[in-house]
Amino acid sequence: IPDMHRDIQAVGVVIAKGPGKVDKKGRRHSLAVEVGDKVAFKLERGMSVEIAGKPCRLIKDDFVLGKVV
């Protein structure tokens, strides 16, 4: 990720995922991430929530910038 974008991105671990998107033809497309993957995402996207007393972020697959290895 270029230096100019490092301050607006965050890294987190996928703890759950949905079934995927449905396109205009009704076909379901699976998500590019799996539970346990470490991912970078845009910090200003998604919604902050608390799950079991821990801060979490709900984000769409579109907002994932990539997997972190």
Side-chain angles (χ1 to χ4, degrees), residues 2-66:
D3 288 337
M4 64 185 275
H5 295 291
R6 288 190 190 277
D7 60 334
I8 60 170
Q9 59 96 22
V11 175
V13 176
V14 178
I15 59 171
K17 69 176 200 168
K21 291 183 180 181
V22 177
D23 67 16
K24 292 179 181 179
K25 294 183 179 181
R27 296 177 297 205
R28 185 167 302 278
H29 297 273
S30 62
L31 301 174
V33 298
E34 296 295 331
V35 172
D37 285 349
K38 188 182 241 187
V39 296
F41 59 93
K42 294 179 180 182
L43 190 57
E44 71 275 5
R45 300 296 186 150
M47 181 173 60
S48 294
V49 297
E50 192 172 295
I51 299 174
K54 295 183 179 182
C56 295
R57 193 128 189 116
L58 301 177
I59 59 172
K60 291 172 52 176
D61 189 41
D62 294 344
F63 301 144
V64 174
L65 300 173

